PDB file of all heavy atoms in Angstrom:
ATOM      1  N   PRO A   1      19.460 111.460   2.747  1.00 87.00           N
ATOM      2  CA  PRO A   1      19.027 112.329   3.846  1.00 87.00           C
ATOM      3  C   PRO A   1      19.625 111.953   5.191  1.00 87.00           C
ATOM      4  O   PRO A   1      19.677 112.778   6.112  1.00 87.00           O
ATOM      5  CB  PRO A   1      17.505 112.153   3.848  1.00 87.00           C
ATOM      6  CG  PRO A   1      17.290 110.795   3.269  1.00 87.00           C
ATOM      7  CD  PRO A   1      18.355 110.643   2.214  1.00 87.00           C
ATOM      8  N   GLY A   2      20.058 110.701   5.324  1.00 91.00           N
ATOM      9  CA  GLY A   2      20.633 110.253   6.596  1.00 91.00           C
ATOM     10  C   GLY A   2      19.595 109.821   7.605  1.00 91.00           C
ATOM     11  O   GLY A   2      19.935 109.312   8.676  1.00 91.00           O
ATOM     12  N   THR A   3      18.316 110.005   7.298  1.00 92.00           N
ATOM     13  CA  THR A   3      17.258 109.630   8.234  1.00 92.00           C
ATOM     14  C   THR A   3      16.802 108.194   8.050  1.00 92.00           C
ATOM     15  O   THR A   3      16.090 107.658   8.906  1.00 92.00           O
ATOM     16  CB  THR A   3      16.045 110.562   8.063  1.00 92.00           C
ATOM     17  OG1 THR A   3      15.614 110.519   6.687  1.00 92.00           O
ATOM     18  CG2 THR A   3      16.405 111.995   8.439  1.00 92.00           C
ATOM     19  N   GLN A   4      17.176 107.561   6.936  1.00 93.00           N
ATOM     20  CA  GLN A   4      16.728 106.191   6.664  1.00 93.00           C
ATOM     21  C   GLN A   4      17.313 105.228   7.694  1.00 93.00           C
ATOM     22  O   GLN A   4      18.471 105.331   8.076  1.00 93.00           O
ATOM     23  CB  GLN A   4      17.095 105.766   5.237  1.00 93.00           C
ATOM     24  CG  GLN A   4      18.575 105.638   4.932  1.00 93.00           C
ATOM     25  CD  GLN A   4      19.212 106.931   4.452  1.00 93.00           C
ATOM     26  OE1 GLN A   4      18.806 108.019   4.843  1.00 93.00           O
ATOM     27  NE2 GLN A   4      20.236 106.810   3.613  1.00 93.00           N
ATOM     28  N   VAL A   5      16.482 104.296   8.153  1.00 95.00           N
ATOM     29  CA  VAL A   5      16.876 103.368   9.216  1.00 95.00           C
ATOM     30  C   VAL A   5      17.575 102.160   8.622  1.00 95.00           C
ATOM     31  O   VAL A   5      17.106 101.553   7.647  1.00 95.00           O
ATOM     32  CB  VAL A   5      15.650 102.930  10.047  1.00 95.00           C
ATOM     33  CG1 VAL A   5      16.071 101.936  11.123  1.00 95.00           C
ATOM     34  CG2 VAL A   5      14.982 104.141  10.675  1.00 95.00           C
ATOM     35  N   MET A   6      18.701 101.792   9.221  1.00 93.00           N
ATOM     36  CA  MET A   6      19.506 100.650   8.776  1.00 93.00           C
ATOM     37  C   MET A   6      19.417  99.548   9.832  1.00 93.00           C
ATOM     38  O   MET A   6      19.733  99.767  10.999  1.00 93.00           O
ATOM     39  CB  MET A   6      20.956 101.082   8.569  1.00 93.00           C
ATOM     40  CG  MET A   6      21.121 102.247   7.605  1.00 93.00           C
ATOM     41  SD  MET A   6      22.805 102.932   7.571  1.00 93.00           S
ATOM     42  CE  MET A   6      23.706 101.547   6.861  1.00 93.00           C
ATOM     43  N   SER A   7      18.976  98.385   9.425  1.00 96.00           N
ATOM     44  CA  SER A   7      18.902  97.231  10.324  1.00 96.00           C
ATOM     45  C   SER A   7      20.105  96.350  10.048  1.00 96.00           C
ATOM     46  O   SER A   7      20.299  95.875   8.934  1.00 96.00           O
ATOM     47  CB  SER A   7      17.592  96.466  10.094  1.00 96.00           C
ATOM     48  OG  SER A   7      16.487  97.272  10.449  1.00 96.00           O
ATOM     49  N   TRP A   8      20.939  96.136  11.045  1.00 96.00           N
ATOM     50  CA  TRP A   8      22.262  95.556  10.868  1.00 96.00           C
ATOM     51  C   TRP A   8      22.462  94.383  11.821  1.00 96.00           C
ATOM     52  O   TRP A   8      21.724  94.185  12.778  1.00 96.00           O
ATOM     53  CB  TRP A   8      23.339  96.612  11.126  1.00 96.00           C
ATOM     54  CG  TRP A   8      23.196  97.212  12.503  1.00 96.00           C
ATOM     55  CD1 TRP A   8      22.418  98.281  12.862  1.00 96.00           C
ATOM     56  CD2 TRP A   8      23.789  96.725  13.709  1.00 96.00           C
ATOM     57  NE1 TRP A   8      22.507  98.491  14.230  1.00 96.00           N
ATOM     58  CE2 TRP A   8      23.334  97.552  14.772  1.00 96.00           C
ATOM     59  CE3 TRP A   8      24.664  95.675  13.994  1.00 96.00           C
ATOM     60  CZ2 TRP A   8      23.734  97.359  16.092  1.00 96.00           C
ATOM     61  CZ3 TRP A   8      25.054  95.474  15.316  1.00 96.00           C
ATOM     62  CH2 TRP A   8      24.596  96.310  16.352  1.00 96.00           C
ATOM     63  N   ILE A   9      23.532  93.630  11.554  1.00 97.00           N
ATOM     64  CA  ILE A   9      23.958  92.535  12.446  1.00 97.00           C
ATOM     65  C   ILE A   9      25.465  92.375  12.267  1.00 97.00           C
ATOM     66  O   ILE A   9      25.973  92.475  11.149  1.00 97.00           O
ATOM     67  CB  ILE A   9      23.228  91.207  12.118  1.00 97.00           C
ATOM     68  CG1 ILE A   9      23.518  90.135  13.145  1.00 97.00           C
ATOM     69  CG2 ILE A   9      23.566  90.717  10.725  1.00 97.00           C
ATOM     70  CD1 ILE A   9      22.778  90.310  14.435  1.00 97.00           C
ATOM     71  N   SER A  10      26.201  92.177  13.340  1.00 97.00           N
ATOM     72  CA  SER A  10      27.641  91.934  13.189  1.00 97.00           C
ATOM     73  C   SER A  10      27.855  90.497  12.745  1.00 97.00           C
ATOM     74  O   SER A  10      27.052  89.607  13.042  1.00 97.00           O
ATOM     75  CB  SER A  10      28.385  92.198  14.499  1.00 97.00           C
ATOM     76  OG  SER A  10      28.242  91.112  15.395  1.00 97.00           O
ATOM     77  N   LEU A  11      28.927  90.268  12.003  1.00 97.00           N
ATOM     78  CA  LEU A  11      29.209  88.911  11.521  1.00 97.00           C
ATOM     79  C   LEU A  11      29.425  87.955  12.681  1.00 97.00           C
ATOM     80  O   LEU A  11      28.981  86.798  12.635  1.00 97.00           O
ATOM     81  CB  LEU A  11      30.434  88.937  10.605  1.00 97.00           C
ATOM     82  CG  LEU A  11      30.815  87.611   9.953  1.00 97.00           C
ATOM     83  CD1 LEU A  11      29.670  87.061   9.105  1.00 97.00           C
ATOM     84  CD2 LEU A  11      32.072  87.771   9.100  1.00 97.00           C
ATOM     85  N   ARG A  12      30.081  88.404  13.729  1.00 96.00           N
ATOM     86  CA  ARG A  12      30.317  87.539  14.892  1.00 96.00           C
ATOM     87  C   ARG A  12      28.988  87.143  15.535  1.00 96.00           C
ATOM     88  O   ARG A  12      28.801  85.999  15.957  1.00 96.00           O
ATOM     89  CB  ARG A  12      31.206  88.247  15.909  1.00 96.00           C
ATOM     90  CG  ARG A  12      32.590  88.591  15.387  1.00 96.00           C
ATOM     91  CD  ARG A  12      33.448  89.240  16.454  1.00 96.00           C
ATOM     92  NE  ARG A  12      33.941  88.261  17.416  1.00 96.00           N
ATOM     93  CZ  ARG A  12      34.729  88.561  18.443  1.00 96.00           C
ATOM     94  NH1 ARG A  12      35.081  89.823  18.652  1.00 96.00           N
ATOM     95  NH2 ARG A  12      35.149  87.639  19.252  1.00 96.00           N
ATOM     96  N   GLU A  13      28.055  88.085  15.617  1.00 98.00           N
ATOM     97  CA  GLU A  13      26.739  87.784  16.178  1.00 98.00           C
ATOM     98  C   GLU A  13      26.001  86.785  15.297  1.00 98.00           C
ATOM     99  O   GLU A  13      25.320  85.876  15.782  1.00 98.00           O
ATOM    100  CB  GLU A  13      25.916  89.061  16.305  1.00 98.00           C
ATOM    101  CG  GLU A  13      24.675  88.909  17.169  1.00 98.00           C
ATOM    102  CD  GLU A  13      24.981  89.115  18.647  1.00 98.00           C
ATOM    103  OE1 GLU A  13      25.216  90.264  19.059  1.00 98.00           O
ATOM    104  OE2 GLU A  13      24.989  88.114  19.384  1.00 98.00           O
ATOM    105  N   TYR A  14      26.117  86.969  13.999  1.00 98.00           N
ATOM    106  CA  TYR A  14      25.427  86.101  13.050  1.00 98.00           C
ATOM    107  C   TYR A  14      25.802  84.635  13.277  1.00 98.00           C
ATOM    108  O   TYR A  14      24.928  83.760  13.334  1.00 98.00           O
ATOM    109  CB  TYR A  14      25.780  86.528  11.622  1.00 98.00           C
ATOM    110  CG  TYR A  14      24.882  85.961  10.554  1.00 98.00           C
ATOM    111  CD1 TYR A  14      23.933  86.766   9.933  1.00 98.00           C
ATOM    112  CD2 TYR A  14      24.966  84.632  10.145  1.00 98.00           C
ATOM    113  CE1 TYR A  14      23.094  86.259   8.953  1.00 98.00           C
ATOM    114  CE2 TYR A  14      24.147  84.124   9.154  1.00 98.00           C
ATOM    115  CZ  TYR A  14      23.211  84.947   8.565  1.00 98.00           C
ATOM    116  OH  TYR A  14      22.387  84.450   7.589  1.00 98.00           O
ATOM    117  N   THR A  15      27.082  84.359  13.411  1.00 97.00           N
ATOM    118  CA  THR A  15      27.510  82.970  13.596  1.00 97.00           C
ATOM    119  C   THR A  15      27.019  82.422  14.936  1.00 97.00           C
ATOM    120  O   THR A  15      26.661  81.236  15.032  1.00 97.00           O
ATOM    121  CB  THR A  15      29.036  82.845  13.498  1.00 97.00           C
ATOM    122  OG1 THR A  15      29.673  83.658  14.490  1.00 97.00           O
ATOM    123  CG2 THR A  15      29.529  83.271  12.117  1.00 97.00           C
ATOM    124  N   ARG A  16      26.972  83.252  15.956  1.00 97.00           N
ATOM    125  CA  ARG A  16      26.441  82.821  17.253  1.00 97.00           C
ATOM    126  C   ARG A  16      24.960  82.480  17.150  1.00 97.00           C
ATOM    127  O   ARG A  16      24.481  81.498  17.727  1.00 97.00           O
ATOM    128  CB  ARG A  16      26.633  83.909  18.315  1.00 97.00           C
ATOM    129  CG  ARG A  16      28.065  84.163  18.739  1.00 97.00           C
ATOM    130  CD  ARG A  16      28.125  85.198  19.863  1.00 97.00           C
ATOM    131  NE  ARG A  16      27.631  84.638  21.133  1.00 97.00           N
ATOM    132  CZ  ARG A  16      26.626  85.164  21.823  1.00 97.00           C
ATOM    133  NH1 ARG A  16      25.991  86.243  21.386  1.00 97.00           N
ATOM    134  NH2 ARG A  16      26.251  84.624  22.956  1.00 97.00           N
ATOM    135  N   ILE A  17      24.207  83.301  16.402  1.00 98.00           N
ATOM    136  CA  ILE A  17      22.774  83.068  16.255  1.00 98.00           C
ATOM    137  C   ILE A  17      22.513  81.749  15.550  1.00 98.00           C
ATOM    138  O   ILE A  17      21.613  80.992  15.941  1.00 98.00           O
ATOM    139  CB  ILE A  17      22.119  84.232  15.500  1.00 98.00           C
ATOM    140  CG1 ILE A  17      22.141  85.508  16.354  1.00 98.00           C
ATOM    141  CG2 ILE A  17      20.684  83.888  15.119  1.00 98.00           C
ATOM    142  CD1 ILE A  17      21.695  86.750  15.613  1.00 98.00           C
ATOM    143  N   VAL A  18      23.268  81.464  14.498  1.00 98.00           N
ATOM    144  CA  VAL A  18      23.075  80.202  13.773  1.00 98.00           C
ATOM    145  C   VAL A  18      23.237  79.019  14.718  1.00 98.00           C
ATOM    146  O   VAL A  18      22.411  78.094  14.731  1.00 98.00           O
ATOM    147  CB  VAL A  18      24.048  80.104  12.581  1.00 98.00           C
ATOM    148  CG1 VAL A  18      24.105  78.676  12.048  1.00 98.00           C
ATOM    149  CG2 VAL A  18      23.616  81.070  11.476  1.00 98.00           C
ATOM    150  N   GLU A  19      24.276  79.028  15.526  1.00 96.00           N
ATOM    151  CA  GLU A  19      24.471  77.913  16.448  1.00 96.00           C
ATOM    152  C   GLU A  19      23.368  77.882  17.507  1.00 96.00           C
ATOM    153  O   GLU A  19      22.947  76.800  17.935  1.00 96.00           O
ATOM    154  CB  GLU A  19      25.867  77.994  17.075  1.00 96.00           C
ATOM    155  CG  GLU A  19      26.983  77.863  16.031  1.00 96.00           C
ATOM    156  CD  GLU A  19      28.267  77.293  16.602  1.00 96.00           C
ATOM    157  OE1 GLU A  19      28.208  76.290  17.337  1.00 96.00           O
ATOM    158  OE2 GLU A  19      29.329  77.871  16.301  1.00 96.00           O
ATOM    159  N   PHE A  20      22.870  79.029  17.927  1.00 97.00           N
ATOM    160  CA  PHE A  20      21.749  79.069  18.865  1.00 97.00           C
ATOM    161  C   PHE A  20      20.504  78.439  18.258  1.00 97.00           C
ATOM    162  O   PHE A  20      19.793  77.656  18.912  1.00 97.00           O
ATOM    163  CB  PHE A  20      21.465  80.521  19.258  1.00 97.00           C
ATOM    164  CG  PHE A  20      20.184  80.708  20.031  1.00 97.00           C
ATOM    165  CD1 PHE A  20      20.136  80.456  21.396  1.00 97.00           C
ATOM    166  CD2 PHE A  20      19.029  81.144  19.385  1.00 97.00           C
ATOM    167  CE1 PHE A  20      18.952  80.628  22.109  1.00 97.00           C
ATOM    168  CE2 PHE A  20      17.852  81.324  20.095  1.00 97.00           C
ATOM    169  CZ  PHE A  20      17.808  81.063  21.455  1.00 97.00           C
ATOM    170  N   LEU A  21      20.210  78.764  17.000  1.00 97.00           N
ATOM    171  CA  LEU A  21      19.011  78.237  16.352  1.00 97.00           C
ATOM    172  C   LEU A  21      19.023  76.717  16.267  1.00 97.00           C
ATOM    173  O   LEU A  21      17.967  76.077  16.304  1.00 97.00           O
ATOM    174  CB  LEU A  21      18.868  78.844  14.953  1.00 97.00           C
ATOM    175  CG  LEU A  21      18.528  80.335  14.905  1.00 97.00           C
ATOM    176  CD1 LEU A  21      18.603  80.854  13.476  1.00 97.00           C
ATOM    177  CD2 LEU A  21      17.142  80.592  15.489  1.00 97.00           C
ATOM    178  N   LEU A  22      20.195  76.146  16.184  1.00 94.00           N
ATOM    179  CA  LEU A  22      20.288  74.685  16.104  1.00 94.00           C
ATOM    180  C   LEU A  22      19.894  74.018  17.407  1.00 94.00           C
ATOM    181  O   LEU A  22      19.570  72.830  17.432  1.00 94.00           O
ATOM    182  CB  LEU A  22      21.707  74.274  15.703  1.00 94.00           C
ATOM    183  CG  LEU A  22      22.178  74.797  14.335  1.00 94.00           C
ATOM    184  CD1 LEU A  22      23.629  74.423  14.105  1.00 94.00           C
ATOM    185  CD2 LEU A  22      21.292  74.277  13.219  1.00 94.00           C
ATOM    186  N   THR A  23      19.895  74.767  18.491  1.00 93.00           N
ATOM    187  CA  THR A  23      19.536  74.208  19.797  1.00 93.00           C
ATOM    188  C   THR A  23      18.055  74.373  20.112  1.00 93.00           C
ATOM    189  O   THR A  23      17.596  73.873  21.146  1.00 93.00           O
ATOM    190  CB  THR A  23      20.340  74.884  20.926  1.00 93.00           C
ATOM    191  OG1 THR A  23      19.889  76.251  21.098  1.00 93.00           O
ATOM    192  CG2 THR A  23      21.828  74.885  20.613  1.00 93.00           C
ATOM    193  N   ARG A  24      17.319  75.080  19.243  1.00 94.00           N
ATOM    194  CA  ARG A  24      15.925  75.388  19.528  1.00 94.00           C
ATOM    195  C   ARG A  24      15.013  74.754  18.489  1.00 94.00           C
ATOM    196  O   ARG A  24      14.724  75.328  17.444  1.00 94.00           O
ATOM    197  CB  ARG A  24      15.716  76.907  19.562  1.00 94.00           C
ATOM    198  CG  ARG A  24      16.426  77.621  20.707  1.00 94.00           C
ATOM    199  CD  ARG A  24      15.906  77.106  22.063  1.00 94.00           C
ATOM    200  NE  ARG A  24      14.460  77.320  22.189  1.00 94.00           N
ATOM    201  CZ  ARG A  24      13.922  78.333  22.837  1.00 94.00           C
ATOM    202  NH1 ARG A  24      14.693  79.232  23.428  1.00 94.00           N
ATOM    203  NH2 ARG A  24      12.608  78.454  22.909  1.00 94.00           N
ATOM    204  N   ASP A  25      14.550  73.538  18.775  1.00 94.00           N
ATOM    205  CA  ASP A  25      13.690  72.826  17.841  1.00 94.00           C
ATOM    206  C   ASP A  25      12.345  73.509  17.638  1.00 94.00           C
ATOM    207  O   ASP A  25      11.627  73.202  16.678  1.00 94.00           O
ATOM    208  CB  ASP A  25      13.451  71.393  18.334  1.00 94.00           C
ATOM    209  CG  ASP A  25      14.709  70.545  18.290  1.00 94.00           C
ATOM    210  OD1 ASP A  25      15.655  70.929  17.577  1.00 94.00           O
ATOM    211  OD2 ASP A  25      14.742  69.497  18.974  1.00 94.00           O
ATOM    212  N   ASP A  26      11.978  74.425  18.532  1.00 95.00           N
ATOM    213  CA  ASP A  26      10.688  75.091  18.439  1.00 95.00           C
ATOM    214  C   ASP A  26      10.706  76.300  17.516  1.00 95.00           C
ATOM    215  O   ASP A  26       9.654  76.866  17.210  1.00 95.00           O
ATOM    216  CB  ASP A  26      10.220  75.534  19.832  1.00 95.00           C
ATOM    217  CG  ASP A  26      11.227  76.455  20.515  1.00 95.00           C
ATOM    218  OD1 ASP A  26      12.443  76.213  20.369  1.00 95.00           O
ATOM    219  OD2 ASP A  26      10.805  77.405  21.200  1.00 95.00           O
ATOM    220  N   VAL A  27      11.878  76.711  17.052  1.00 97.00           N
ATOM    221  CA  VAL A  27      11.969  77.874  16.173  1.00 97.00           C
ATOM    222  C   VAL A  27      11.914  77.407  14.725  1.00 97.00           C
ATOM    223  O   VAL A  27      12.717  76.588  14.288  1.00 97.00           O
ATOM    224  CB  VAL A  27      13.266  78.671  16.421  1.00 97.00           C
ATOM    225  CG1 VAL A  27      13.354  79.855  15.448  1.00 97.00           C
ATOM    226  CG2 VAL A  27      13.318  79.163  17.858  1.00 97.00           C
ATOM    227  N   THR A  28      10.964  77.950  13.984  1.00 97.00           N
ATOM    228  CA  THR A  28      10.823  77.598  12.575  1.00 97.00           C
ATOM    229  C   THR A  28      10.264  78.800  11.831  1.00 97.00           C
ATOM    230  O   THR A  28       9.760  79.750  12.445  1.00 97.00           O
ATOM    231  CB  THR A  28       9.898  76.376  12.414  1.00 97.00           C
ATOM    232  OG1 THR A  28       9.912  75.936  11.054  1.00 97.00           O
ATOM    233  CG2 THR A  28       8.476  76.707  12.825  1.00 97.00           C
ATOM    234  N   GLY A  29      10.375  78.783  10.504  1.00 98.00           N
ATOM    235  CA  GLY A  29       9.878  79.901   9.715  1.00 98.00           C
ATOM    236  C   GLY A  29      10.868  81.051   9.674  1.00 98.00           C
ATOM    237  O   GLY A  29      12.063  80.885   9.923  1.00 98.00           O
ATOM    238  N   PRO A  30      10.391  82.262   9.383  1.00 98.00           N
ATOM    239  CA  PRO A  30      11.308  83.403   9.230  1.00 98.00           C
ATOM    240  C   PRO A  30      11.901  83.857  10.556  1.00 98.00           C
ATOM    241  O   PRO A  30      11.218  83.875  11.588  1.00 98.00           O
ATOM    242  CB  PRO A  30      10.411  84.500   8.629  1.00 98.00           C
ATOM    243  CG  PRO A  30       9.028  84.138   9.059  1.00 98.00           C
ATOM    244  CD  PRO A  30       8.994  82.640   9.085  1.00 98.00           C
ATOM    245  N   VAL A  31      13.177  84.216  10.514  1.00 98.00           N
ATOM    246  CA  VAL A  31      13.883  84.781  11.664  1.00 98.00           C
ATOM    247  C   VAL A  31      14.640  86.012  11.178  1.00 98.00           C
ATOM    248  O   VAL A  31      15.456  85.921  10.248  1.00 98.00           O
ATOM    249  CB  VAL A  31      14.867  83.764  12.284  1.00 98.00           C
ATOM    250  CG1 VAL A  31      15.746  84.434  13.331  1.00 98.00           C
ATOM    251  CG2 VAL A  31      14.113  82.591  12.900  1.00 98.00           C
ATOM    252  N   ASN A  32      14.363  87.148  11.786  1.00 98.00           N
ATOM    253  CA  ASN A  32      15.080  88.372  11.430  1.00 98.00           C
ATOM    254  C   ASN A  32      16.479  88.339  12.032  1.00 98.00           C
ATOM    255  O   ASN A  32      16.649  88.326  13.248  1.00 98.00           O
ATOM    256  CB  ASN A  32      14.332  89.606  11.939  1.00 98.00           C
ATOM    257  CG  ASN A  32      13.052  89.857  11.171  1.00 98.00           C
ATOM    258  OD1 ASN A  32      12.915  89.433  10.013  1.00 98.00           O
ATOM    259  ND2 ASN A  32      12.107  90.542  11.786  1.00 98.00           N
ATOM    260  N   MET A  33      17.477  88.317  11.159  1.00 98.00           N
ATOM    261  CA  MET A  33      18.877  88.300  11.581  1.00 98.00           C
ATOM    262  C   MET A  33      19.362  89.749  11.651  1.00 98.00           C
ATOM    263  O   MET A  33      20.130  90.233  10.820  1.00 98.00           O
ATOM    264  CB  MET A  33      19.705  87.481  10.605  1.00 98.00           C
ATOM    265  CG  MET A  33      19.243  86.033  10.473  1.00 98.00           C
ATOM    266  SD  MET A  33      19.569  85.037  11.947  1.00 98.00           S
ATOM    267  CE  MET A  33      21.299  84.645  11.705  1.00 98.00           C
ATOM    268  N   THR A  34      18.880  90.430  12.689  1.00 98.00           N
ATOM    269  CA  THR A  34      19.219  91.830  12.904  1.00 98.00           C
ATOM    270  C   THR A  34      19.417  92.061  14.394  1.00 98.00           C
ATOM    271  O   THR A  34      18.841  91.358  15.228  1.00 98.00           O
ATOM    272  CB  THR A  34      18.093  92.770  12.414  1.00 98.00           C
ATOM    273  OG1 THR A  34      16.872  92.462  13.111  1.00 98.00           O
ATOM    274  CG2 THR A  34      17.873  92.631  10.916  1.00 98.00           C
ATOM    275  N   ALA A  35      20.209  93.050  14.722  1.00 98.00           N
ATOM    276  CA  ALA A  35      20.401  93.431  16.117  1.00 98.00           C
ATOM    277  C   ALA A  35      19.191  94.234  16.599  1.00 98.00           C
ATOM    278  O   ALA A  35      18.467  94.824  15.781  1.00 98.00           O
ATOM    279  CB  ALA A  35      21.674  94.261  16.266  1.00 98.00           C
ATOM    280  N   PRO A  36      18.948  94.279  17.896  1.00 97.00           N
ATOM    281  CA  PRO A  36      17.797  95.025  18.411  1.00 97.00           C
ATOM    282  C   PRO A  36      17.985  96.534  18.431  1.00 97.00           C
ATOM    283  O   PRO A  36      17.068  97.252  18.828  1.00 97.00           O
ATOM    284  CB  PRO A  36      17.634  94.479  19.833  1.00 97.00           C
ATOM    285  CG  PRO A  36      18.986  93.990  20.215  1.00 97.00           C
ATOM    286  CD  PRO A  36      19.618  93.489  18.951  1.00 97.00           C
ATOM    287  N   GLY A  37      19.158  97.030  17.983  1.00 94.00           N
ATOM    288  CA  GLY A  37      19.421  98.464  17.984  1.00 94.00           C
ATOM    289  C   GLY A  37      19.644  99.030  16.595  1.00 94.00           C
ATOM    290  O   GLY A  37      20.759  99.461  16.270  1.00 94.00           O
ATOM    291  N   PRO A  38      18.612  99.047  15.715  1.00 96.00           N
ATOM    292  CA  PRO A  38      18.790  99.663  14.394  1.00 96.00           C
ATOM    293  C   PRO A  38      19.089 101.145  14.530  1.00 96.00           C
ATOM    294  O   PRO A  38      18.759 101.765  15.549  1.00 96.00           O
ATOM    295  CB  PRO A  38      17.442  99.412  13.702  1.00 96.00           C
ATOM    296  CG  PRO A  38      16.466  99.257  14.817  1.00 96.00           C
ATOM    297  CD  PRO A  38      17.222  98.598  15.933  1.00 96.00           C
ATOM    298  N   VAL A  39      19.715 101.713  13.512  1.00 96.00           N
ATOM    299  CA  VAL A  39      20.138 103.116  13.573  1.00 96.00           C
ATOM    300  C   VAL A  39      19.800 103.823  12.271  1.00 96.00           C
ATOM    301  O   VAL A  39      19.604 103.189  11.224  1.00 96.00           O
ATOM    302  CB  VAL A  39      21.660 103.239  13.832  1.00 96.00           C
ATOM    303  CG1 VAL A  39      22.040 102.685  15.196  1.00 96.00           C
ATOM    304  CG2 VAL A  39      22.464 102.524  12.725  1.00 96.00           C
ATOM    305  N   SER A  40      19.755 105.137  12.321  1.00 95.00           N
ATOM    306  CA  SER A  40      19.632 105.920  11.086  1.00 95.00           C
ATOM    307  C   SER A  40      20.983 105.912  10.379  1.00 95.00           C
ATOM    308  O   SER A  40      22.033 105.640  10.983  1.00 95.00           O
ATOM    309  CB  SER A  40      19.206 107.349  11.393  1.00 95.00           C
ATOM    310  OG  SER A  40      20.263 108.047  12.038  1.00 95.00           O
ATOM    311  N   ASN A  41      20.953 106.259   9.108  1.00 93.00           N
ATOM    312  CA  ASN A  41      22.220 106.328   8.372  1.00 93.00           C
ATOM    313  C   ASN A  41      23.136 107.389   8.957  1.00 93.00           C
ATOM    314  O   ASN A  41      24.364 107.207   8.998  1.00 93.00           O
ATOM    315  CB  ASN A  41      21.964 106.597   6.892  1.00 93.00           C
ATOM    316  CG  ASN A  41      23.238 106.744   6.098  1.00 93.00           C
ATOM    317  OD1 ASN A  41      23.663 107.850   5.782  1.00 93.00           O
ATOM    318  ND2 ASN A  41      23.872 105.620   5.794  1.00 93.00           N
TER     319      ASN A  41
END
């Protein structure tokens, strides 16, 4: 239908996030690796 929402992340962003998480000892548990701008199909 094209209305389904896709939650995405660019590969370049993903690698940046991983290095960011290593600097934050207070972050633990689940982390959504998605961009803040999900889109429909």
Side-chain angles (χ1 to χ4, degrees):
T3 56
Q4 66 271 31
V5 178
M6 304 171 67
S7 295
W8 57 273
I9 188 76
S10 79
L11 183 59
R12 298 182 76 179
E13 194 86 73
Y14 195 105
T15 59
R16 291 184 72 237
I17 292 172
V18 166
E19 297 207 46
F20 170 81
L21 291 172
L22 299 175
T23 70
R24 294 299 301 262
D25 292 342
D26 57 322
V27 178
T28 188
V31 171
N32 289 336
M33 301 290 279
T34 59
V39 296
S40 70
N41 177 259

